[in-house]
């Protein structure tokens, strides 16, 4: 396999960009792309190519949209399992209340990893999700709880991550909108503890409460953290940041730095358009098209992808979308983010993966 298409760490497949939420922290409400679902034949082509070539270590059914609204989702999950692919899925978990049969179906699906974007863990903050009117906070939380309880009582090997949005002030991040969800370590630890109790209540092999509390005590504000509280349940906190800064002009653009887009990660939009990363939600950096007779490997070997990779390898940030994504709203922050991108990708990430080859992929 040519170096230009060495295996990706992660390939995001957008099976649909249709979503039933309009979260204020997500650009879904301003996305200009046409809505639609991926043709099942195209999904089969992509999965078969990855299985045959080893082009991606992990497949993620998510970029934009709610995957559980995709009419062929469970067929796609089953096919990925048949092909021996490591499949991750990210969902807002809303369909557990709207279509309760999804609880058992997803628990039996044998995904490698399921991320539930709880994000707003109480009724007050749930108001920013733009959920369907029939989905009250109480119904939503009950559906999430039902799934967690069902899953932890099952023999499913899937590792579930319950994700919380951390809006603690942070000097390094550039949120596209000021939001208040969980703004302090004290608030976050309280929510993590409440949801840990909710998920583990009555579970036969639940760890001791003191151990769970000690795990949650390791939380630090403003960081991406994964806090295991059960062999198959992880509490995940994620700081509020930009979504590529595509929609704003208040960012001082980056001119240098590093990103692993198109080298260690890539995305495929529902129509087959290949993009370098999961943040290009409008497809403004099209690298090519996966279609009959045109493979993902062909696209990643093509000139647009090669030019983008070569720029990053020289620590050059040339595309305007990348410049905004890696920039900052002050000169100092823009400089810090550029330095941080090099340190993270060139030093910190390789060091962590040398200690744990699965780091960043769990």
């Amino acid at each position: 396999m040519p170096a230009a298409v060495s295996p990706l760490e992660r390939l995001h497949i957008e099976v649909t960009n249709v979503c039933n939420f309009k979260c204020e922290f997500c650009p879904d409400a301003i996305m200009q792309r046409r809505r639609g679902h991926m043709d099942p034949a195209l999904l089969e082509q992509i999965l078969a190519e990855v299985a045959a070539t080893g082009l991606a270590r992990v497949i993620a059914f998510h970029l934009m949209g709610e995957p559980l609204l995709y009419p062929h989702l469970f067929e796609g999950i089953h096919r990925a399992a048949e092909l021996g692919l490591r499949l991750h899925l990210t969902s807002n978990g809303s369909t557990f209340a709207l279509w309760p049969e999804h609880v058992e179906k997803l628990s039996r699906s044998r995904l490698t990893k399921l991320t539930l974007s709880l994000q707003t863990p109480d009724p007050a903050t749930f108001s920013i999700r733009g959920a369907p009117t029939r989905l009250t906070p109480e119904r939503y939380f009950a559906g999430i709880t039902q799934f967690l309880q069902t899953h932890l009582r099952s023999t499913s090997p899937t590792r579930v991550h319950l994700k919380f949005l951390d809006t603690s002030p942070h000097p390094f991040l550039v949120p596209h909108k000021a939001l208040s969800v969980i703004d302090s370590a004290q608030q976050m630890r309280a929510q993590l503890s409440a949801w840990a109790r909710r998920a583990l209540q009555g579970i036969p092999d639940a760890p001791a409460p003191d151990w769970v509390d000690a795990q949650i005590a390791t939380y630090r504000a403003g960081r991406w953290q994964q806090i295991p509280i059960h062999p198959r349940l992880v509490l995940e906190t994620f700081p509020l940041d930009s979504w590529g800064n595509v929609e704003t002009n208040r960012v001082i653009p980056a001119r240098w730095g590093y990103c692993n887009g198109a080298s260690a990660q890539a995305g495929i939009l529902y129509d087959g358009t290949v993009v370098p990363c999961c943040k290009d939600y409008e497809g403004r950096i099209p690298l090519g098209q996966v279609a009959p007779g045109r493979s993902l490997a062909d696209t990643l070997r093509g000139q647009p992808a090669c030019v983008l990779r070569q720029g990053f390898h020289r620590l050059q940030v040339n595309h305007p979308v990348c410049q905004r994504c890696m920039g900052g709203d002050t000169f100092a922050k823009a400089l810090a983010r550029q330095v941080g991108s090099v340190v993270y990708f060139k030093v910190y990430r390789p060091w962590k993966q040398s200690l744990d080859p699965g780091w960043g992929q769990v």
Side-chain angles (χ1 to χ4, degrees):
M1 185 180 294
V5 287
S6 57
L8 303 167
E9 292 181 13
R10 182 181 300 265
L11 175 65
H12 297 266
I13 301 176
E14 181 188 75
V15 292
T16 182
N17 69 345
V18 175
C19 190
N20 57 348
F21 278 23
K22 294 287 182 260
C23 302
E24 292 186 24
F25 50 82
C26 174
D28 180 90
I30 59 173
M31 184 174 64
Q32 297 177 8
R33 276 194 296 131
R34 183 179 177 180
R35 309 283 172 156
H37 302 310
M38 181 172 282
D39 187 314
L42 177 59
L43 180 58
E44 166 64 26
Q45 176 184 329
I46 296 166
L47 296 177
E49 179 185 359
V50 173
T53 63
L55 192 53
R57 296 187 178 96
V58 170
I59 296 287
F61 279 0
H62 183 63
L63 200 147
M64 291 294 286
E66 169 47 53
L68 282 166
L69 298 181
Y70 180 54
H72 311 284
L73 179 68
F74 290 102
E75 293 96 318
I77 292 173
H78 178 69
R79 183 60 177 146
E82 280 187 333
L83 293 169
L85 298 173
R86 291 186 64 195
L87 178 61
H88 294 185
L89 177 72
T90 297
S91 170
N92 61 32
S94 61
T95 66
F96 298 148
L98 299 173
W99 298 296
E101 64 272 17
H102 281 185
V103 170
E104 289 285 352
K105 290 181 73 173
L106 202 55
S107 187
R108 294 196 307 265
S109 66
R110 305 185 73 81
L111 291 162
T112 304
K113 173 184 170 184
L114 170 65
T115 298
L116 294 178
S117 291
L118 176 70
Q119 308 289 21
T120 51
D122 56 50
T125 57
F126 184 76
S127 63
I128 71 170
R129 302 299 293 274
T133 53
R134 68 185 185 280
L135 186 62
T136 63
E138 292 74 21
R139 284 190 70 195
Y140 175 67
F141 297 141
I144 296 282
T145 303
Q146 178 63 36
F147 174 81
L148 294 174
Q149 290 264 317
T150 300
H151 176 70
L152 294 178
R153 285 187 166 90
S154 75
T155 59
S156 169
T158 302
R159 194 177 196 198
V160 175
H161 285 225
L162 191 62
K163 196 169 185 177
F164 297 75
L165 185 63
D166 186 346
T167 54
S168 303
H170 194 287
F172 192 70
L173 304 177
V174 190
H176 78 277
K177 180 184 289 188
L179 292 173
S180 177
V181 177
I182 301 176
D183 301 329
S184 71
Q186 182 180 6
Q187 286 180 336
M188 180 64 83
R189 291 192 191 107
Q191 289 291 356
L192 295 175
S193 295
W195 275 93
R197 289 193 299 272
R198 195 167 185 166
L200 298 175
Q201 184 177 9
I203 301 301
D205 62 344
D210 288 349
W211 182 86
V212 173
D213 290 342
Q215 290 290 95
I216 291 172
T218 65
Y219 164 76
R220 297 293 179 268
R223 300 181 191 177
W224 170 55
Q225 283 186 258
Q226 300 181 78
I227 304 172
I229 61 167
H230 182 277
R232 289 177 291 136
L233 180 59
V234 176
L235 304 179
E236 182 173 338
T237 67
F238 201 80
L240 177 65
D241 198 7
S242 69
W243 217 290
N245 288 314
V246 174
E247 73 286 351
T248 181
N249 293 319
R250 62 184 176 86
V251 169
I252 298 169
R255 300 300 180 188
W256 57 274
Y258 186 80
C259 178
N260 66 358
S263 59
Q265 65 163 314
I268 305 178
L269 306 183
Y270 80 88
D271 64 355
T273 301
V274 179
V275 293
C277 73
C278 61
K279 284 191 172 184
D280 187 10
Y281 64 90
E282 288 285 18
R284 293 186 178 177
I285 316 176
L287 304 179
Q289 197 89 7
V290 178
R294 176 71 177 179
S295 69
L296 175 61
D298 290 337
T299 302
L300 294 177
R301 196 181 291 120
Q303 184 179 16
C306 288
V307 168
L308 193 70
R309 283 194 298 270
Q310 288 167 2
F312 286 136
H313 290 324
R314 295 169 183 155
L315 303 186
Q316 299 170 354
V317 183
N318 298 319
H319 198 285
V321 172
C322 300
Q323 290 174 352
R324 288 194 290 272
C325 180
M326 298 172 65
D329 52 0
T330 66
F331 178 80
K333 192 178 291 186
L335 178 61
R337 286 169 67 90
Q338 289 170 93
V339 172
S341 70
V342 177
V343 171
Y344 176 77
F345 284 112
K346 295 295 189 181
V347 180
Y348 180 75
R349 190 179 179 91
W351 171 68
K352 291 289 286 186
Q353 290 181 332
S354 70
L355 300 176
D356 176 8
W359 184 85
Q361 297 181 25
V362 295

